[in-house]
Short mmCIF file of all heavy atoms in Angstrom, two decimals:
data_model
loop_
_atom_site.label_atom_id
_atom_site.label_comp_id
_atom_site.label_asym_id
_atom_site.label_seq_id
_atom_site.Cartn_x
_atom_site.Cartn_y
_atom_site.Cartn_z
N MET A 112 119.15 72.12 74.25
CA MET A 112 120.15 72.00 73.30
C MET A 112 121.55 72.48 73.91
O MET A 112 122.62 72.06 73.49
CB MET A 112 119.77 72.83 72.15
CG MET A 112 120.55 72.46 70.88
SD MET A 112 120.38 70.72 70.49
CE MET A 112 121.01 70.72 68.91
N ARG A 113 121.35 73.54 74.77
CA ARG A 113 122.53 74.12 75.37
C ARG A 113 123.35 73.15 76.27
O ARG A 113 124.45 73.12 76.24
CB ARG A 113 122.12 75.35 76.16
CG ARG A 113 123.25 76.26 76.52
CD ARG A 113 122.67 77.52 77.29
NE ARG A 113 121.37 77.91 76.88
CZ ARG A 113 120.51 78.61 77.61
NH1 ARG A 113 120.86 78.93 78.89
NH2 ARG A 113 119.41 78.86 77.32
N VAL A 114 122.54 72.27 76.94
CA VAL A 114 123.06 71.29 77.73
C VAL A 114 123.97 70.37 76.94
O VAL A 114 124.98 69.94 77.35
CB VAL A 114 121.99 70.48 78.49
CG1 VAL A 114 122.61 69.39 79.38
CG2 VAL A 114 121.27 71.41 79.53
N LEU A 115 123.52 69.93 75.76
CA LEU A 115 124.22 68.97 74.90
C LEU A 115 125.51 69.62 74.36
O LEU A 115 126.53 69.00 74.37
CB LEU A 115 123.35 68.70 73.67
CG LEU A 115 122.21 67.61 74.00
CD1 LEU A 115 121.40 67.47 72.68
CD2 LEU A 115 122.73 66.33 74.38
N LEU A 116 125.49 70.98 74.08
CA LEU A 116 126.72 71.65 73.70
C LEU A 116 127.71 71.78 74.76
O LEU A 116 128.90 71.45 74.64
CB LEU A 116 126.37 73.02 73.20
CG LEU A 116 125.75 73.05 71.74
CD1 LEU A 116 125.30 74.48 71.48
CD2 LEU A 116 126.73 72.52 70.76
N ILE A 117 127.23 71.96 75.93
CA ILE A 117 128.14 72.07 77.21
C ILE A 117 128.73 70.66 77.37
O ILE A 117 129.94 70.61 77.62
CB ILE A 117 127.41 72.56 78.42
CG1 ILE A 117 127.07 74.09 78.24
CG2 ILE A 117 128.27 72.41 79.62
CD1 ILE A 117 126.10 74.64 79.23
N LEU A 118 127.90 69.65 77.31
CA LEU A 118 128.49 68.27 77.57
C LEU A 118 129.44 67.84 76.49
O LEU A 118 130.51 67.25 76.77
CB LEU A 118 127.29 67.25 77.59
CG LEU A 118 126.55 67.15 78.89
CD1 LEU A 118 125.40 66.26 78.70
CD2 LEU A 118 127.43 66.66 79.96
N PHE A 119 129.15 68.25 75.24
CA PHE A 119 130.06 67.91 74.12
C PHE A 119 131.44 68.51 74.29
O PHE A 119 132.46 67.93 74.25
CB PHE A 119 129.42 68.29 72.80
CG PHE A 119 130.21 68.09 71.57
CD1 PHE A 119 130.43 66.83 71.11
CD2 PHE A 119 130.94 69.18 70.97
CE1 PHE A 119 131.24 66.51 69.99
CE2 PHE A 119 131.66 68.83 69.88
CZ PHE A 119 131.87 67.54 69.40
N PHE A 120 131.40 69.84 74.63
CA PHE A 120 132.69 70.53 74.81
C PHE A 120 133.41 70.02 76.02
O PHE A 120 134.58 70.03 76.10
CB PHE A 120 132.52 72.03 74.84
CG PHE A 120 132.18 72.58 73.43
CD1 PHE A 120 131.03 73.25 73.23
CD2 PHE A 120 133.13 72.40 72.35
CE1 PHE A 120 130.70 73.82 71.98
CE2 PHE A 120 132.83 72.91 71.12
CZ PHE A 120 131.62 73.61 70.99
N ALA A 121 132.72 69.71 77.09
CA ALA A 121 133.29 69.12 78.31
C ALA A 121 133.96 67.78 77.97
O ALA A 121 135.07 67.56 78.45
CB ALA A 121 132.29 68.98 79.41
N ILE A 122 133.42 66.92 77.19
CA ILE A 122 133.91 65.66 76.75
C ILE A 122 135.15 65.82 76.02
O ILE A 122 136.25 65.25 76.18
CB ILE A 122 132.88 64.84 75.93
CG1 ILE A 122 131.79 64.40 76.91
CG2 ILE A 122 133.60 63.65 75.30
CD1 ILE A 122 130.65 63.78 76.17
N LEU A 123 135.14 66.86 75.03
CA LEU A 123 136.32 67.15 74.18
C LEU A 123 137.46 67.69 75.09
O LEU A 123 138.63 67.33 74.88
CB LEU A 123 136.05 68.15 73.18
CG LEU A 123 135.23 67.75 71.93
CD1 LEU A 123 134.96 68.93 71.03
CD2 LEU A 123 135.92 66.58 71.33
N PHE A 124 137.15 68.57 76.06
CA PHE A 124 138.17 69.10 76.98
C PHE A 124 138.77 68.01 77.89
O PHE A 124 139.99 68.03 77.97
CB PHE A 124 137.58 70.18 77.93
CG PHE A 124 138.52 70.80 78.80
CD1 PHE A 124 139.48 71.60 78.28
CD2 PHE A 124 138.33 70.61 80.09
CE1 PHE A 124 140.39 72.26 79.19
CE2 PHE A 124 139.35 71.22 81.03
CZ PHE A 124 140.27 72.02 80.54
N ILE A 125 137.99 67.19 78.35
CA ILE A 125 138.50 66.11 79.32
C ILE A 125 139.39 65.12 78.47
O ILE A 125 140.38 64.70 78.92
CB ILE A 125 137.40 65.40 80.05
CG1 ILE A 125 136.84 66.34 81.09
CG2 ILE A 125 137.85 64.09 80.69
CD1 ILE A 125 135.66 65.73 81.95
N GLY A 126 138.94 64.81 77.17
CA GLY A 126 139.76 63.97 76.38
C GLY A 126 141.12 64.53 76.07
O GLY A 126 142.10 63.83 76.09
N PHE A 127 141.02 65.87 75.75
CA PHE A 127 142.28 66.56 75.52
C PHE A 127 143.27 66.60 76.74
O PHE A 127 144.37 66.43 76.65
CB PHE A 127 142.02 68.06 74.98
CG PHE A 127 143.25 68.84 74.78
CD1 PHE A 127 144.09 68.65 73.71
CD2 PHE A 127 143.57 69.92 75.76
CE1 PHE A 127 145.20 69.41 73.43
CE2 PHE A 127 144.78 70.60 75.46
CZ PHE A 127 145.56 70.39 74.34
N LEU A 128 142.66 66.78 77.96
CA LEU A 128 143.31 66.94 79.22
C LEU A 128 143.96 65.60 79.52
O LEU A 128 145.06 65.47 80.05
CB LEU A 128 142.43 67.39 80.25
CG LEU A 128 142.99 67.96 81.56
CD1 LEU A 128 143.83 69.16 81.29
CD2 LEU A 128 141.86 68.25 82.53
N ARG A 129 143.24 64.47 79.20
CA ARG A 129 143.71 63.07 79.56
C ARG A 129 145.00 62.81 78.76
O ARG A 129 145.91 62.16 79.17
CB ARG A 129 142.65 62.09 79.19
CG ARG A 129 141.66 61.85 80.25
CD ARG A 129 140.55 60.83 79.86
NE ARG A 129 141.23 59.58 79.55
CZ ARG A 129 140.66 58.71 78.75
NH1 ARG A 129 139.48 58.89 78.25
NH2 ARG A 129 141.16 57.60 78.57
N LYS A 130 145.03 63.37 77.52
CA LYS A 130 146.27 63.14 76.71
C LYS A 130 147.46 63.93 77.19
O LYS A 130 148.63 63.52 77.06
CB LYS A 130 145.92 63.44 75.24
CG LYS A 130 144.91 62.64 74.64
CD LYS A 130 145.42 61.84 73.61
CE LYS A 130 144.18 61.09 72.90
NZ LYS A 130 144.26 59.69 73.19
N LYS A 131 147.19 65.22 77.71
CA LYS A 131 148.31 66.05 78.09
C LYS A 131 148.86 65.71 79.46
O LYS A 131 150.02 66.06 79.77
CB LYS A 131 147.79 67.51 78.09
CG LYS A 131 147.52 68.04 76.76
CD LYS A 131 148.83 68.18 76.05
CE LYS A 131 148.55 68.74 74.63
NZ LYS A 131 149.79 68.76 73.85
N ILE A 132 148.12 65.05 80.33
CA ILE A 132 148.68 64.72 81.67
C ILE A 132 149.58 63.49 81.57
O ILE A 132 149.26 62.56 80.97
CB ILE A 132 147.47 64.51 82.72
CG1 ILE A 132 146.78 65.85 82.95
CG2 ILE A 132 147.98 63.92 83.99
CD1 ILE A 132 145.67 65.72 83.97
N ASN A 133 150.64 63.61 82.26
CA ASN A 133 151.66 62.61 82.37
C ASN A 133 151.10 61.34 82.92
O ASN A 133 150.20 61.34 83.82
CB ASN A 133 152.86 63.02 83.18
CG ASN A 133 154.15 62.17 82.88
OD1 ASN A 133 154.00 61.18 82.36
ND2 ASN A 133 155.24 62.72 83.35
N ASP A 134 151.56 60.11 82.46
CA ASP A 134 151.05 58.82 82.92
C ASP A 134 151.49 58.43 84.34
O ASP A 134 150.90 57.56 84.95
CB ASP A 134 151.55 57.72 81.92
CG ASP A 134 150.88 57.69 80.59
OD1 ASP A 134 149.75 58.28 80.57
OD2 ASP A 134 151.39 57.19 79.60
N LYS A 135 152.41 59.19 84.88
CA LYS A 135 152.79 58.89 86.21
C LYS A 135 151.74 59.34 87.20
O LYS A 135 151.82 58.86 88.36
CB LYS A 135 154.25 59.37 86.51
CG LYS A 135 154.18 60.92 86.69
CD LYS A 135 155.60 61.41 87.12
CE LYS A 135 155.60 62.85 87.36
NZ LYS A 135 156.94 63.34 87.85
N TYR A 136 150.85 60.23 86.86
CA TYR A 136 149.78 60.67 87.74
C TYR A 136 148.58 59.70 87.47
O TYR A 136 147.56 60.11 86.90
CB TYR A 136 149.35 62.12 87.47
CG TYR A 136 150.52 63.07 87.75
CD1 TYR A 136 151.13 63.80 86.70
CD2 TYR A 136 151.08 63.23 88.97
CE1 TYR A 136 152.19 64.54 86.89
CE2 TYR A 136 152.13 64.09 89.23
CZ TYR A 136 152.59 64.81 88.19
OH TYR A 136 153.67 65.65 88.42
N GLU A 137 148.70 58.51 87.91
CA GLU A 137 147.70 57.56 87.62
C GLU A 137 146.34 57.70 88.18
O GLU A 137 145.31 57.46 87.60
CB GLU A 137 148.28 56.12 88.03
CG GLU A 137 147.45 54.89 87.54
CD GLU A 137 148.18 53.65 87.93
OE1 GLU A 137 149.37 53.57 87.86
OE2 GLU A 137 147.40 52.79 88.13
N PHE A 138 146.37 58.32 89.48
CA PHE A 138 145.03 58.46 90.04
C PHE A 138 144.26 59.71 89.35
O PHE A 138 143.08 59.48 89.18
CB PHE A 138 145.25 59.02 91.59
CG PHE A 138 144.03 59.25 92.33
CD1 PHE A 138 143.26 58.05 92.71
CD2 PHE A 138 143.75 60.47 92.73
CE1 PHE A 138 142.02 58.36 93.37
CE2 PHE A 138 142.61 60.76 93.43
CZ PHE A 138 141.76 59.55 93.82
N ILE A 139 144.95 60.67 88.99
CA ILE A 139 144.27 61.68 88.19
C ILE A 139 143.74 61.20 86.81
O ILE A 139 142.65 61.54 86.40
CB ILE A 139 145.21 62.97 88.07
CG1 ILE A 139 145.55 63.59 89.36
CG2 ILE A 139 144.62 64.05 87.13
CD1 ILE A 139 146.56 64.68 89.36
N GLN A 140 144.61 60.37 86.22
CA GLN A 140 144.15 59.71 84.97
C GLN A 140 142.85 58.92 85.17
O GLN A 140 141.99 58.93 84.38
CB GLN A 140 145.26 58.84 84.45
CG GLN A 140 146.41 59.52 83.91
CD GLN A 140 146.10 60.09 82.46
OE1 GLN A 140 145.04 59.81 81.86
NE2 GLN A 140 147.01 60.80 81.84
N HIS A 141 142.92 58.21 86.31
CA HIS A 141 141.69 57.33 86.60
C HIS A 141 140.53 58.22 86.84
O HIS A 141 139.29 57.84 86.30
CB HIS A 141 142.02 56.48 87.79
CG HIS A 141 140.95 55.47 88.03
ND1 HIS A 141 140.68 54.40 87.33
CD2 HIS A 141 140.09 55.39 89.17
CE1 HIS A 141 139.65 53.66 87.79
NE2 HIS A 141 139.26 54.31 88.97
N LEU A 142 140.56 59.27 87.59
CA LEU A 142 139.43 60.11 87.85
C LEU A 142 138.87 60.86 86.62
O LEU A 142 137.77 60.87 86.34
CB LEU A 142 139.77 61.25 88.86
CG LEU A 142 139.97 60.80 90.32
CD1 LEU A 142 140.42 62.02 91.14
CD2 LEU A 142 138.71 60.21 90.90
N LEU A 143 139.84 61.21 85.77
CA LEU A 143 139.44 61.82 84.40
C LEU A 143 138.78 60.78 83.52
O LEU A 143 137.85 61.10 82.77
CB LEU A 143 140.71 62.36 83.68
CG LEU A 143 141.21 63.69 84.28
CD1 LEU A 143 142.46 64.21 83.54
CD2 LEU A 143 140.11 64.85 84.29
N GLN A 144 139.24 59.54 83.62
CA GLN A 144 138.61 58.52 82.74
C GLN A 144 137.20 58.27 83.25
O GLN A 144 136.24 58.11 82.44
CB GLN A 144 139.42 57.26 82.89
CG GLN A 144 138.92 56.19 81.93
CD GLN A 144 139.91 54.99 82.02
OE1 GLN A 144 140.77 54.91 82.76
NE2 GLN A 144 139.62 54.07 81.17
N ILE A 145 136.93 58.23 84.50
CA ILE A 145 135.52 58.03 85.14
C ILE A 145 134.74 59.25 84.74
O ILE A 145 133.57 59.00 84.28
CB ILE A 145 135.67 57.91 86.64
CG1 ILE A 145 136.28 56.54 86.95
CG2 ILE A 145 134.31 57.95 87.25
CD1 ILE A 145 136.56 56.39 88.47
N ALA A 146 135.17 60.46 84.77
CA ALA A 146 134.42 61.58 84.42
C ALA A 146 134.15 61.57 82.89
O ALA A 146 133.03 61.92 82.53
CB ALA A 146 135.11 62.83 84.86
N PHE A 147 135.16 61.19 82.19
CA PHE A 147 134.94 61.13 80.72
C PHE A 147 133.84 60.15 80.33
O PHE A 147 132.91 60.52 79.49
CB PHE A 147 136.33 60.61 80.13
CG PHE A 147 136.32 60.69 78.54
CD1 PHE A 147 136.36 61.80 77.88
CD2 PHE A 147 136.39 59.47 77.86
CE1 PHE A 147 136.47 61.85 76.53
CE2 PHE A 147 136.43 59.42 76.52
CZ PHE A 147 136.44 60.62 75.75
N TYR A 148 133.85 58.91 80.92
CA TYR A 148 132.83 58.04 80.53
C TYR A 148 131.42 58.37 81.14
O TYR A 148 130.44 58.12 80.47
CB TYR A 148 133.24 56.61 81.03
CG TYR A 148 134.31 55.97 80.21
CD1 TYR A 148 135.41 55.40 80.87
CD2 TYR A 148 134.29 56.06 78.79
CE1 TYR A 148 136.44 54.85 80.08
CE2 TYR A 148 135.43 55.53 78.12
CZ TYR A 148 136.35 54.93 78.70
OH TYR A 148 137.46 54.43 78.03
N ALA A 149 131.34 58.96 82.21
CA ALA A 149 130.11 59.48 82.78
C ALA A 149 129.47 60.53 81.91
O ALA A 149 128.41 60.51 81.76
CB ALA A 149 130.29 60.01 84.23
N LEU A 150 130.33 61.44 81.46
CA LEU A 150 129.87 62.59 80.51
C LEU A 150 129.40 61.90 79.26
O LEU A 150 128.41 62.50 78.70
CB LEU A 150 130.94 63.66 80.36
CG LEU A 150 131.16 64.56 81.51
CD1 LEU A 150 132.36 65.47 81.15
CD2 LEU A 150 129.95 65.30 81.94
N ILE A 151 130.13 60.93 78.67
CA ILE A 151 129.66 60.33 77.50
C ILE A 151 128.34 59.72 77.67
O ILE A 151 127.32 59.79 76.85
CB ILE A 151 130.69 59.31 76.96
CG1 ILE A 151 131.87 60.04 76.37
CG2 ILE A 151 130.16 58.48 75.92
CD1 ILE A 151 132.98 59.23 75.98
N PHE A 152 128.13 58.94 78.83
CA PHE A 152 126.90 58.35 79.06
C PHE A 152 125.77 59.36 79.12
O PHE A 152 124.64 59.13 78.59
CB PHE A 152 126.98 57.52 80.34
CG PHE A 152 125.63 56.96 80.80
CD1 PHE A 152 125.13 55.77 80.16
CD2 PHE A 152 124.92 57.50 81.76
CE1 PHE A 152 123.92 55.24 80.46
CE2 PHE A 152 123.82 56.94 82.18
CZ PHE A 152 123.17 55.86 81.50
N LEU A 153 125.99 60.42 79.86
CA LEU A 153 124.96 61.48 80.00
C LEU A 153 124.65 62.13 78.68
O LEU A 153 123.42 62.37 78.44
CB LEU A 153 125.57 62.48 81.05
CG LEU A 153 124.51 63.53 81.55
CD1 LEU A 153 123.39 62.86 82.33
CD2 LEU A 153 125.24 64.43 82.48
N PHE A 154 125.65 62.36 77.85
CA PHE A 154 125.51 62.98 76.56
C PHE A 154 124.53 62.07 75.69
O PHE A 154 123.60 62.50 75.12
CB PHE A 154 126.68 63.20 75.89
CG PHE A 154 126.67 63.72 74.59
CD1 PHE A 154 126.40 65.16 74.43
CD2 PHE A 154 126.78 63.02 73.39
CE1 PHE A 154 126.31 65.71 73.12
CE2 PHE A 154 126.79 63.58 72.13
CZ PHE A 154 126.46 64.96 71.98
N ILE A 155 124.87 60.81 75.65
CA ILE A 155 124.04 59.83 74.91
C ILE A 155 122.57 59.74 75.47
O ILE A 155 121.67 59.68 74.68
CB ILE A 155 124.72 58.52 74.79
CG1 ILE A 155 126.01 58.53 73.96
CG2 ILE A 155 123.86 57.48 74.17
CD1 ILE A 155 126.83 57.34 74.01
N TYR A 156 122.49 59.70 76.76
CA TYR A 156 121.16 59.65 77.37
C TYR A 156 120.28 60.89 77.05
O TYR A 156 119.24 60.75 76.62
CB TYR A 156 121.33 59.53 78.90
CG TYR A 156 120.05 59.49 79.62
CD1 TYR A 156 119.20 58.47 79.64
CD2 TYR A 156 119.58 60.61 80.38
CE1 TYR A 156 117.97 58.39 80.28
CE2 TYR A 156 118.47 60.69 80.98
CZ TYR A 156 117.61 59.55 80.99
OH TYR A 156 116.41 59.59 81.67
N ILE A 157 120.89 62.04 77.16
CA ILE A 157 120.17 63.32 76.80
C ILE A 157 119.84 63.43 75.39
O ILE A 157 118.75 63.85 75.00
CB ILE A 157 120.91 64.54 77.39
CG1 ILE A 157 120.94 64.53 78.98
CG2 ILE A 157 120.26 65.75 76.91
CD1 ILE A 157 121.74 65.58 79.56
N LEU A 158 120.82 62.96 74.57
CA LEU A 158 120.56 63.05 73.10
C LEU A 158 119.45 62.09 72.72
O LEU A 158 118.53 62.39 72.01
CB LEU A 158 121.91 62.64 72.35
CG LEU A 158 121.89 62.91 70.86
CD1 LEU A 158 121.73 64.36 70.63
CD2 LEU A 158 123.15 62.36 70.25
N GLY A 159 119.39 60.91 73.36
CA GLY A 159 118.29 59.93 73.03
C GLY A 159 117.02 60.48 73.52
O GLY A 159 115.99 60.27 72.85
N MET A 160 116.96 61.13 74.70
CA MET A 160 115.66 61.70 75.22
C MET A 160 115.21 62.86 74.29
O MET A 160 114.08 63.04 74.07
CB MET A 160 115.89 62.23 76.53
CG MET A 160 116.13 61.09 77.66
SD MET A 160 114.88 59.88 77.71
CE MET A 160 113.71 60.73 78.74
N HIS A 161 116.19 63.61 73.71
CA HIS A 161 115.85 64.61 72.76
C HIS A 161 115.19 63.99 71.56
O HIS A 161 114.20 64.61 71.05
CB HIS A 161 117.20 65.37 72.45
CG HIS A 161 116.93 66.43 71.50
ND1 HIS A 161 116.33 67.64 71.59
CD2 HIS A 161 117.25 66.48 70.07
CE1 HIS A 161 116.26 68.30 70.54
NE2 HIS A 161 116.81 67.67 69.51
N PHE A 162 115.74 62.98 70.97
CA PHE A 162 115.13 62.38 69.77
C PHE A 162 113.88 61.69 70.02
O PHE A 162 113.01 61.43 69.17
CB PHE A 162 116.12 61.59 69.04
CG PHE A 162 117.16 62.39 68.27
CD1 PHE A 162 118.56 62.22 68.61
CD2 PHE A 162 116.81 63.25 67.35
CE1 PHE A 162 119.43 63.03 68.03
CE2 PHE A 162 117.72 64.02 66.68
CZ PHE A 162 119.11 63.88 66.92
N LEU A 163 113.65 61.22 71.29
CA LEU A 163 112.39 60.54 71.68
C LEU A 163 111.32 61.60 72.06
O LEU A 163 110.19 61.14 72.23
CB LEU A 163 112.61 59.61 72.74
CG LEU A 163 113.54 58.37 72.35
CD1 LEU A 163 113.79 57.51 73.62
CD2 LEU A 163 112.79 57.51 71.35
N GLY A 164 111.62 62.81 72.20
CA GLY A 164 110.55 63.79 72.41
C GLY A 164 110.52 64.27 73.89
O GLY A 164 109.71 65.08 74.31
N ASN A 165 111.38 63.70 74.75
CA ASN A 165 111.25 63.99 76.11
C ASN A 165 112.46 64.94 76.51
O ASN A 165 113.17 64.63 77.48
CB ASN A 165 111.34 62.67 77.05
CG ASN A 165 110.23 61.82 76.75
OD1 ASN A 165 109.09 62.21 76.40
ND2 ASN A 165 110.51 60.51 76.75
N SER A 166 112.64 65.92 75.76
CA SER A 166 113.79 66.83 75.99
C SER A 166 113.71 67.61 77.20
O SER A 166 112.75 67.86 77.72
CB SER A 166 113.76 67.77 74.74
OG SER A 166 114.98 68.62 74.81
N ILE A 167 114.88 67.95 77.76
CA ILE A 167 115.10 68.67 78.89
C ILE A 167 114.80 70.14 78.60
O ILE A 167 115.20 70.67 77.72
CB ILE A 167 116.49 68.56 79.50
CG1 ILE A 167 116.65 67.15 79.98
CG2 ILE A 167 116.76 69.57 80.68
CD1 ILE A 167 118.03 66.83 80.63
#
């Protein structure tokens, strides 16, 4: 359950950071977007495993 909380707050933090960084730094925006989607995928995967009974 601790992993889910850490992932949730990391997703919120990266989402907030993406909004604060200027659009002229396109490479950083791209890297943050990749990390954002990877964390969302990982969060949904671990949450699904949790509800299916194969929790970490």
